[in-house]
Amino acid sequence: MSMWWMVRRDDLLAELAGTLVFFGAHPMEDPGIGELAHTAATLAGEYRAGELGEDIRRAGRLLQEAAVELHAADRFRGTLLPVVNRHLHHATTALTRARTCLQSVPRPTSEQYSPRRDESAQASPLAPCPGPPKP
């Protein structure tokens, strides 16, 4: 049974490392939980400090939530694999929600940068970033 938990942990670590690349982290070959936690916390600080809108800051808060879960998983490293995997799963969920926030942010088009752009035209609003899950 412990072999399954170790494989699951390794799969979650690879998934987390790949997801953090979406947020701007450098690709990691064989990341440790502590390294992922540090990377998520660093990215969270960058996103929360930005002035690009509420969805960006909300993504930063979710990145910080993932970093907290990763730190908790790191504390249990080597002892209770089911507990480690639960924290890794929660971190994955937080990163998925943060990614959803960023995908709902309107992206500037080439027309928005054109000097001949009609100033009265505005981009259509997109759906807001999902909030925390309801229990």
Side-chain angles (χ1 to χ4, degrees):
M1 178 162 140
S2 68
M3 189 65 169
W4 182 88
W5 289 107
M6 290 178 8
V7 170
R8 180 69 180 137
R9 180 200 59 207
D10 293 343
D11 290 345
L12 286 168
L13 288 173
E15 181 181 346
L16 286 162
T19 304
L20 285 173
V21 169
F22 172 83
F23 293 100
H26 296 290
M28 295 178 244
E29 287 275 329
D30 187 20
I33 298 173
E35 184 181 6
L36 290 173
H38 176 72
T39 301
T42 301
L43 289 170
E46 293 174 10
Y47 277 79
R48 287 183 303 164
E51 296 293 326
L52 298 174
E54 182 57 33
D55 285 342
I56 302 294
R57 287 189 296 277
R58 186 173 293 132
R61 288 191 297 270
L62 289 166
L63 278 165
Q64 183 61 41
E65 183 180 316
V68 167
E69 290 293 341
L70 287 165
H71 280 296
D74 194 38
R75 283 194 305 267
F76 289 108
R77 179 178 34 127
T79 57
L80 302 169
L81 282 174
V83 175
V84 170
N85 285 347
R86 181 177 59 91
H87 286 292
L88 293 177
H89 176 72
H90 287 206
T92 302
T93 303
L95 290 179
T96 301
R97 290 175 36 220
R99 187 174 188 155
T100 302
C101 287
L102 293 182
Q103 289 173 339
S104 69
V105 174
R107 305 203 182 210
T109 63
S110 60
E111 294 174 1
Q112 290 175 323
Y113 290 118
S114 172
R116 291 176 265 146
R117 180 177 155 252
D118 180 15
E119 296 298 307
S120 64
Q122 297 199 6
S124 62
L126 295 176
C129 178
K134 296 191 174 155

